[in-house]
Amino acid sequence: MMKKSIFLLSGILILLCGGSCNLSPKQASATNQAQAVFACMDSATSERDGLKLTRIGDNARERLMPLSLFGKLPQEMIDSLNIGKGIPSSVSTFLLEADGKRILFDTGMGAPDSRLLAGLSAAGVTPDDIDYIYLTHFHGDHIGGMMRGDTVVFPRAEIYAARQEYDSWLQMPEEKKAQVVATMNAYQERLHLVAYGDTLPGGVVALNCAGHTPGHTAYRAGGFLIVGDLVHGAALQLAHPEICAAFDMNPTEAVESRRYFLDYARREKLLLADMHQPENPVK
């Protein structure tokens, strides 16, 4: 297993960014693997194929994921990956500018100290400017920013989500689905439920990434692959995609999706945009 994981990681580091990334030796080292894999690490934005992608961090404070979220890990693994103090992470959203339209992928927590609106403002964008919101899934740290109390935050945005995600959440217990139902009802007139494989405005393709949630969705946009919660702890899971965080609702499917999309990104030379990618290169 270790040889297979190392081979996969090496493939990502060498091939994922293609010839346009110009990785320095430091960036290509194993201890800086996240910077080599993820979009928007060296600067706030990345541009590819005429598309501009901006990462907007929603968390106001540094975010470290405790190791306990990933089950019992061997001490040798913890030491070799230098993650004893926790795994650098974030709550992020991504703004894509394509064909003169502004597309927001997920909306963060919507907490009192959330930085989404400030981040949009720094990019010269207001909530009224968002044309589309593409949701990767319905967890609160991805749909929370859609509402402020009982008021919608994005008055013009058309909302797109996988029908598989929507239908699955409606079958969940009331206490789990309350936020989802309230949010989707608030946007009901502008809510579009899509099938995997559909091409959405801006040429973005919805892809089956189920596992983390029943209808977890990745989106392909040119040379970018927006993957939601494919990876929660990059410093651990890029090297060991077989390890799940406790948040994954179907661990078996989550591992299958993680392996598939990491390999897909390597083969297609894509940059990943993951909503929990570290805000800074892994030290």
Side-chain angles (χ1 to χ4, degrees):
M1 180 63 71
M2 180 62 74
K3 287 186 178 180
K4 185 173 183 180
S5 297
I6 293 174
F7 176 80
L8 174 62
L9 179 60
S10 298
I12 294 171
L13 291 174
I14 294 170
L15 297 175
L16 184 59
C17 295
S20 62
C21 278
N22 298 319
L23 296 178
S24 67
K26 179 180 179 181
Q27 289 172 316
S29 71
T31 56
N32 286 277
Q33 56 190 284
Q35 185 160 354
V37 171
F38 291 124
C40 309
M41 291 296 289
D42 290 323
S43 61
T45 64
S46 294
E47 295 189 32
R48 279 188 158 199
D49 305 319
L51 305 176
K52 180 180 179 181
L53 190 72
T54 301
R55 189 191 75 85
I56 299 174
D58 190 58
N59 51 294
R61 294 176 294 278
E62 181 181 10
R63 188 176 180 87
L64 285 176
M65 286 199 165
L67 297 185
S68 59
L69 290 174
F70 299 90
K72 186 172 178 58
L73 302 175
Q75 189 61 46
E76 181 182 359
M77 180 186 296
I78 294 171
D79 294 341
S80 67
L81 297 174
N82 192 26
I83 56 174
K85 295 181 180 180
I87 302 177
S89 183
S90 72
V91 175
S92 296
T93 69
F94 289 87
L95 174 68
L96 181 72
E97 296 176 65
D99 298 333
K101 300 295 184 180
R102 293 186 174 98
I103 302 167
L104 186 63
F105 294 90
D106 293 348
T107 64
M109 289 286 295
D113 63 350
S114 284
R115 303 298 299 158
L116 171 61
L117 297 184
L120 287 174
S121 179
V125 176
T126 71
D128 286 355
D129 295 328
I130 299 299
D131 296 291
Y132 306 105
I133 295 176
Y134 296 164
L135 297 172
T136 63
H137 63 293
F138 288 173
H139 278 158
D141 56 337
H142 297 260
I143 67 170
M146 294 173 69
M147 302 293 295
R148 180 174 292 168
D150 295 327
T151 304
V152 299
V153 173
F154 300 94
R156 291 183 49 255
E158 301 287 325
I159 313 301
Y160 288 77
R163 177 172 291 280
Q164 184 168 316
E165 182 76 352
Y166 182 87
D167 290 346
S168 296
W169 278 88
L170 290 188
Q171 302 304 313
M172 293 184 189
E174 191 62 39
E175 63 273 12
K176 284 193 79 170
K177 69 181 181 182
Q179 182 185 24
V180 170
V181 171
T183 302
M184 297 307 135
N185 283 346
Y187 285 88
Q188 189 65 45
E189 294 183 357
R190 291 178 277 128
L191 176 62
H192 307 269
L193 300 179
V194 304
Y196 295 132
D198 284 356
T199 299
L200 312 184
V204 178
V205 181
L207 301 171
N208 185 350
C209 194
H212 174 59
T213 63
H216 191 232
T217 306
Y219 295 95
R220 170 78 184 266
F224 298 111
L225 186 64
I226 298 91
V227 292
D229 285 9
L230 185 73
V231 175
H232 286 88
L236 171 65
Q237 290 178 296
L238 291 182
H240 293 279
E242 74 280 4
I243 296 176
C244 283
F247 307 116
D248 289 336
M249 297 173 73
N250 186 323
T252 299
E253 285 190 351
V255 170
E256 290 175 356
S257 289
R258 190 155 41 250
R259 289 189 182 279
Y260 174 80
F261 279 105
L262 289 177
D263 186 60
Y264 174 69
R266 175 189 60 80
R267 287 185 284 107
E268 297 291 322
K269 300 180 175 62
L270 306 177
L271 282 176
L272 297 179
D274 185 280
M275 277 55 180
H276 295 297
Q277 69 184 57
E279 296 188 30
N280 298 298
V282 176
K283 302 298 183 184

mmCIF file of all heavy atoms in Angstrom, residues 165-192:
data_model
loop_
_atom_site.group_PDB
_atom_site.id
_atom_site.type_symbol
_atom_site.label_atom_id
_atom_site.label_comp_id
_atom_site.label_asym_id
_atom_site.label_seq_id
_atom_site.Cartn_x
_atom_site.Cartn_y
_atom_site.Cartn_z
ATOM 1 N N GLU A 165 -28.172 14.667 -4.463
ATOM 2 C CA GLU A 165 -27.923 15.274 -3.154
ATOM 3 C C GLU A 165 -29.227 15.791 -2.556
ATOM 4 O O GLU A 165 -29.540 15.550 -1.389
ATOM 5 C CB GLU A 165 -26.897 16.406 -3.294
ATOM 6 C CG GLU A 165 -26.516 17.091 -1.994
ATOM 7 C CD GLU A 165 -25.563 16.305 -1.114
ATOM 8 O OE1 GLU A 165 -25.281 15.108 -1.425
ATOM 9 O OE2 GLU A 165 -25.096 16.862 -0.108
ATOM 10 N N TYR A 166 -29.973 16.502 -3.354
ATOM 11 C CA TYR A 166 -31.231 17.100 -2.891
ATOM 12 C C TYR A 166 -32.194 16.017 -2.410
ATOM 13 O O TYR A 166 -32.736 16.087 -1.291
ATOM 14 C CB TYR A 166 -31.855 17.894 -4.033
ATOM 15 C CG TYR A 166 -33.146 18.605 -3.696
ATOM 16 C CD1 TYR A 166 -33.137 19.887 -3.150
ATOM 17 C CD2 TYR A 166 -34.375 17.995 -3.949
ATOM 18 C CE1 TYR A 166 -34.326 20.543 -2.854
ATOM 19 C CE2 TYR A 166 -35.562 18.639 -3.655
ATOM 20 C CZ TYR A 166 -35.532 19.915 -3.111
ATOM 21 O OH TYR A 166 -36.704 20.561 -2.820
ATOM 22 N N ASP A 167 -32.432 15.007 -3.219
ATOM 23 C CA ASP A 167 -33.382 13.959 -2.863
ATOM 24 C C ASP A 167 -32.933 13.194 -1.626
ATOM 25 O O ASP A 167 -33.763 12.811 -0.782
ATOM 26 C CB ASP A 167 -33.562 12.987 -4.035
ATOM 27 C CG ASP A 167 -34.308 13.605 -5.208
ATOM 28 O OD1 ASP A 167 -34.918 14.683 -5.033
ATOM 29 O OD2 ASP A 167 -34.270 13.016 -6.317
ATOM 30 N N SER A 168 -31.633 12.959 -1.493
ATOM 31 C CA SER A 168 -31.119 12.206 -0.341
ATOM 32 C C SER A 168 -31.321 12.969 0.958
ATOM 33 O O SER A 168 -31.710 12.394 1.978
ATOM 34 C CB SER A 168 -29.637 11.887 -0.541
ATOM 35 O OG SER A 168 -29.449 11.035 -1.654
ATOM 36 N N TRP A 169 -31.063 14.279 0.945
ATOM 37 C CA TRP A 169 -31.223 15.069 2.162
ATOM 38 C C TRP A 169 -32.683 15.169 2.584
ATOM 39 O O TRP A 169 -32.995 15.204 3.782
ATOM 40 C CB TRP A 169 -30.611 16.449 1.988
ATOM 41 C CG TRP A 169 -29.125 16.439 2.207
ATOM 42 C CD1 TRP A 169 -28.158 16.205 1.284
ATOM 43 C CD2 TRP A 169 -28.446 16.623 3.452
ATOM 44 N NE1 TRP A 169 -26.910 16.239 1.867
ATOM 45 C CE2 TRP A 169 -27.055 16.505 3.188
ATOM 46 C CE3 TRP A 169 -28.874 16.900 4.751
ATOM 47 C CZ2 TRP A 169 -26.101 16.635 4.188
ATOM 48 C CZ3 TRP A 169 -27.918 17.032 5.758
ATOM 49 C CH2 TRP A 169 -26.542 16.896 5.471
ATOM 50 N N LEU A 170 -33.589 15.192 1.632
ATOM 51 C CA LEU A 170 -35.006 15.273 1.983
ATOM 52 C C LEU A 170 -35.486 14.015 2.696
ATOM 53 O O LEU A 170 -36.520 14.050 3.389
ATOM 54 C CB LEU A 170 -35.851 15.524 0.740
ATOM 55 C CG LEU A 170 -35.721 16.911 0.098
ATOM 56 C CD1 LEU A 170 -36.745 17.084 -1.006
ATOM 57 C CD2 LEU A 170 -35.862 18.024 1.136
ATOM 58 N N GLN A 171 -34.759 12.919 2.555
ATOM 59 C CA GLN A 171 -35.118 11.671 3.227
ATOM 60 C C GLN A 171 -34.496 11.562 4.615
ATOM 61 O O GLN A 171 -34.795 10.606 5.349
ATOM 62 C CB GLN A 171 -34.668 10.474 2.379
ATOM 63 C CG GLN A 171 -35.250 10.437 0.975
ATOM 64 C CD GLN A 171 -36.761 10.474 0.967
ATOM 65 O OE1 GLN A 171 -37.412 9.747 1.714
ATOM 66 N NE2 GLN A 171 -37.327 11.338 0.129
ATOM 67 N N MET A 172 -33.666 12.504 5.003
ATOM 68 C CA MET A 172 -32.974 12.432 6.290
ATOM 69 C C MET A 172 -33.886 12.916 7.424
ATOM 70 O O MET A 172 -34.901 13.576 7.185
ATOM 71 C CB MET A 172 -31.689 13.260 6.237
ATOM 72 C CG MET A 172 -30.654 12.681 5.292
ATOM 73 S SD MET A 172 -29.090 13.606 5.332
ATOM 74 C CE MET A 172 -28.221 12.859 3.962
ATOM 75 N N PRO A 173 -33.545 12.605 8.676
ATOM 76 C CA PRO A 173 -34.347 13.055 9.814
ATOM 77 C C PRO A 173 -34.474 14.573 9.845
ATOM 78 O O PRO A 173 -33.593 15.299 9.380
ATOM 79 C CB PRO A 173 -33.550 12.542 11.022
ATOM 80 C CG PRO A 173 -32.749 11.395 10.494
ATOM 81 C CD PRO A 173 -32.414 11.758 9.079
ATOM 82 N N GLU A 174 -35.547 15.045 10.405
ATOM 83 C CA GLU A 174 -35.859 16.467 10.404
ATOM 84 C C GLU A 174 -34.733 17.311 10.988
ATOM 85 O O GLU A 174 -34.401 18.375 10.460
ATOM 86 C CB GLU A 174 -37.154 16.714 11.190
ATOM 87 C CG GLU A 174 -37.712 18.119 11.024
ATOM 88 C CD GLU A 174 -38.096 18.424 9.591
ATOM 89 O OE1 GLU A 174 -38.635 17.526 8.921
ATOM 90 O OE2 GLU A 174 -37.842 19.562 9.140
ATOM 91 N N GLU A 175 -34.131 16.845 12.073
ATOM 92 C CA GLU A 175 -33.092 17.639 12.726
ATOM 93 C C GLU A 175 -31.841 17.777 11.857
ATOM 94 O O GLU A 175 -31.088 18.748 11.998
ATOM 95 C CB GLU A 175 -32.723 17.051 14.085
ATOM 96 C CG GLU A 175 -32.126 15.647 14.060
ATOM 97 C CD GLU A 175 -33.185 14.541 14.078
ATOM 98 O OE1 GLU A 175 -34.374 14.850 13.874
ATOM 99 O OE2 GLU A 175 -32.795 13.374 14.313
ATOM 100 N N LYS A 176 -31.596 16.825 10.953
ATOM 101 C CA LYS A 176 -30.425 16.908 10.073
ATOM 102 C C LYS A 176 -30.691 17.780 8.851
ATOM 103 O O LYS A 176 -29.783 18.432 8.348
ATOM 104 C CB LYS A 176 -30.007 15.505 9.601
ATOM 105 C CG LYS A 176 -29.278 14.680 10.636
ATOM 106 C CD LYS A 176 -28.632 13.457 10.015
ATOM 107 C CE LYS A 176 -27.330 13.814 9.309
ATOM 108 N NZ LYS A 176 -26.549 12.607 8.904
ATOM 109 N N LYS A 177 -31.932 17.786 8.388
ATOM 110 C CA LYS A 177 -32.217 18.454 7.120
ATOM 111 C C LYS A 177 -32.825 19.837 7.265
ATOM 112 O O LYS A 177 -33.096 20.505 6.264
ATOM 113 C CB LYS A 177 -33.153 17.593 6.274
ATOM 114 C CG LYS A 177 -34.577 17.478 6.824
ATOM 115 C CD LYS A 177 -35.428 16.585 5.931
ATOM 116 C CE LYS A 177 -36.860 16.476 6.437
ATOM 117 N NZ LYS A 177 -37.678 15.580 5.606
ATOM 118 N N ALA A 178 -33.019 20.314 8.497
ATOM 119 C CA ALA A 178 -33.729 21.574 8.706
ATOM 120 C C ALA A 178 -33.082 22.738 7.962
ATOM 121 O O ALA A 178 -33.763 23.520 7.275
ATOM 122 C CB ALA A 178 -33.835 21.878 10.199
ATOM 123 N N GLN A 179 -31.765 22.882 8.075
ATOM 124 C CA GLN A 179 -31.075 23.982 7.396
ATOM 125 C C GLN A 179 -31.165 23.835 5.888
ATOM 126 O O GLN A 179 -31.384 24.819 5.170
ATOM 127 C CB GLN A 179 -29.605 24.048 7.822
ATOM 128 C CG GLN A 179 -28.846 25.201 7.180
ATOM 129 C CD GLN A 179 -27.361 25.184 7.506
ATOM 130 O OE1 GLN A 179 -26.794 24.143 7.821
ATOM 131 N NE2 GLN A 179 -26.722 26.350 7.437
ATOM 132 N N VAL A 180 -31.026 22.616 5.399
ATOM 133 C CA VAL A 180 -31.105 22.366 3.962
ATOM 134 C C VAL A 180 -32.479 22.755 3.427
ATOM 135 O O VAL A 180 -32.594 23.463 2.415
ATOM 136 C CB VAL A 180 -30.810 20.883 3.655
ATOM 137 C CG1 VAL A 180 -31.128 20.560 2.203
ATOM 138 C CG2 VAL A 180 -29.357 20.549 3.971
ATOM 139 N N VAL A 181 -33.527 22.309 4.087
ATOM 140 C CA VAL A 181 -34.882 22.587 3.629
ATOM 141 C C VAL A 181 -35.158 24.084 3.628
ATOM 142 O O VAL A 181 -35.680 24.644 2.644
ATOM 143 C CB VAL A 181 -35.916 21.847 4.505
ATOM 144 C CG1 VAL A 181 -37.329 22.311 4.171
ATOM 145 C CG2 VAL A 181 -35.787 20.334 4.311
ATOM 146 N N ALA A 182 -34.782 24.763 4.716
ATOM 147 C CA ALA A 182 -35.026 26.203 4.800
ATOM 148 C C ALA A 182 -34.276 26.963 3.713
ATOM 149 O O ALA A 182 -34.829 27.885 3.081
ATOM 150 C CB ALA A 182 -34.625 26.716 6.182
ATOM 151 N N THR A 183 -33.029 26.578 3.467
ATOM 152 C CA THR A 183 -32.207 27.283 2.480
ATOM 153 C C THR A 183 -32.710 27.025 1.065
ATOM 154 O O THR A 183 -32.865 27.955 0.267
ATOM 155 C CB THR A 183 -30.733 26.845 2.605
ATOM 156 O OG1 THR A 183 -30.274 27.112 3.931
ATOM 157 C CG2 THR A 183 -29.863 27.589 1.609
ATOM 158 N N MET A 184 -32.967 25.783 0.745
ATOM 159 C CA MET A 184 -33.425 25.468 -0.607
ATOM 160 C C MET A 184 -34.812 26.060 -0.882
ATOM 161 O O MET A 184 -35.095 26.512 -1.996
ATOM 162 C CB MET A 184 -33.432 23.958 -0.831
ATOM 163 C CG MET A 184 -32.050 23.318 -0.748
ATOM 164 S SD MET A 184 -30.826 24.108 -1.846
ATOM 165 C CE MET A 184 -29.428 24.233 -0.719
ATOM 166 N N ASN A 185 -35.666 26.098 0.132
ATOM 167 C CA ASN A 185 -36.978 26.724 -0.042
ATOM 168 C C ASN A 185 -36.845 28.218 -0.308
ATOM 169 O O ASN A 185 -37.596 28.789 -1.106
ATOM 170 C CB ASN A 185 -37.849 26.490 1.186
ATOM 171 C CG ASN A 185 -38.412 25.086 1.235
ATOM 172 O OD1 ASN A 185 -38.371 24.352 0.247
ATOM 173 N ND2 ASN A 185 -38.946 24.697 2.388
ATOM 174 N N ALA A 186 -35.866 28.850 0.344
ATOM 175 C CA ALA A 186 -35.685 30.291 0.156
ATOM 176 C C ALA A 186 -35.262 30.627 -1.267
ATOM 177 O O ALA A 186 -35.569 31.707 -1.784
ATOM 178 C CB ALA A 186 -34.649 30.816 1.152
ATOM 179 N N TYR A 187 -34.553 29.699 -1.910
ATOM 180 C CA TYR A 187 -34.079 29.899 -3.281
ATOM 181 C C TYR A 187 -34.888 29.082 -4.295
ATOM 182 O O TYR A 187 -34.461 28.918 -5.441
ATOM 183 C CB TYR A 187 -32.610 29.495 -3.393
ATOM 184 C CG TYR A 187 -31.628 30.484 -2.788
ATOM 185 C CD1 TYR A 187 -31.275 30.415 -1.442
ATOM 186 C CD2 TYR A 187 -31.031 31.479 -3.569
ATOM 187 C CE1 TYR A 187 -30.360 31.309 -0.886
ATOM 188 C CE2 TYR A 187 -30.124 32.372 -3.030
ATOM 189 C CZ TYR A 187 -29.797 32.289 -1.690
ATOM 190 O OH TYR A 187 -28.894 33.171 -1.153
ATOM 191 N N GLN A 188 -36.038 28.580 -3.893
ATOM 192 C CA GLN A 188 -36.761 27.590 -4.685
ATOM 193 C C GLN A 188 -36.998 28.020 -6.127
ATOM 194 O O GLN A 188 -36.878 27.229 -7.061
ATOM 195 C CB GLN A 188 -38.104 27.273 -4.018
ATOM 196 C CG GLN A 188 -38.845 26.091 -4.630
ATOM 197 C CD GLN A 188 -38.098 24.779 -4.437
ATOM 198 O OE1 GLN A 188 -37.611 24.487 -3.352
ATOM 199 N NE2 GLN A 188 -37.992 23.984 -5.503
ATOM 200 N N GLU A 189 -37.328 29.287 -6.347
ATOM 201 C CA GLU A 189 -37.642 29.740 -7.703
ATOM 202 C C GLU A 189 -36.412 29.789 -8.594
ATOM 203 O O GLU A 189 -36.536 29.895 -9.823
ATOM 204 C CB GLU A 189 -38.306 31.119 -7.654
ATOM 205 C CG GLU A 189 -39.677 31.109 -6.993
ATOM 206 C CD GLU A 189 -40.332 32.472 -7.015
ATOM 207 O OE1 GLU A 189 -39.681 33.435 -7.508
ATOM 208 O OE2 GLU A 189 -41.473 32.587 -6.542
ATOM 209 N N ARG A 190 -35.224 29.718 -7.987
ATOM 210 C CA ARG A 190 -33.985 29.791 -8.765
ATOM 211 C C ARG A 190 -33.126 28.549 -8.563
ATOM 212 O O ARG A 190 -31.932 28.565 -8.841
ATOM 213 C CB ARG A 190 -33.202 31.050 -8.378
ATOM 214 C CG ARG A 190 -33.879 32.328 -8.818
ATOM 215 C CD ARG A 190 -33.120 33.583 -8.390
ATOM 216 N NE ARG A 190 -33.420 33.970 -7.021
ATOM 217 C CZ ARG A 190 -32.503 34.204 -6.083
ATOM 218 N NH1 ARG A 190 -31.232 34.074 -6.360
ATOM 219 N NH2 ARG A 190 -32.871 34.566 -4.865
ATOM 220 N N LEU A 191 -33.744 27.480 -8.076
ATOM 221 C CA LEU A 191 -33.018 26.251 -7.802
ATOM 222 C C LEU A 191 -33.128 25.287 -8.982
ATOM 223 O O LEU A 191 -34.224 24.986 -9.451
ATOM 224 C CB LEU A 191 -33.586 25.584 -6.544
ATOM 225 C CG LEU A 191 -32.989 24.226 -6.158
ATOM 226 C CD1 LEU A 191 -31.497 24.346 -5.842
ATOM 227 C CD2 LEU A 191 -33.752 23.637 -4.967
ATOM 228 N N HIS A 192 -31.967 24.819 -9.459
ATOM 229 C CA HIS A 192 -31.909 23.888 -10.586
ATOM 230 C C HIS A 192 -31.244 22.595 -10.111
ATOM 231 O O HIS A 192 -30.117 22.616 -9.621
ATOM 232 C CB HIS A 192 -31.105 24.480 -11.740
ATOM 233 C CG HIS A 192 -31.574 25.842 -12.160
ATOM 234 N ND1 HIS A 192 -32.530 26.036 -13.136
ATOM 235 C CD2 HIS A 192 -31.217 27.075 -11.714
ATOM 236 C CE1 HIS A 192 -32.741 27.341 -13.290
ATOM 237 N NE2 HIS A 192 -31.955 27.987 -12.437
#
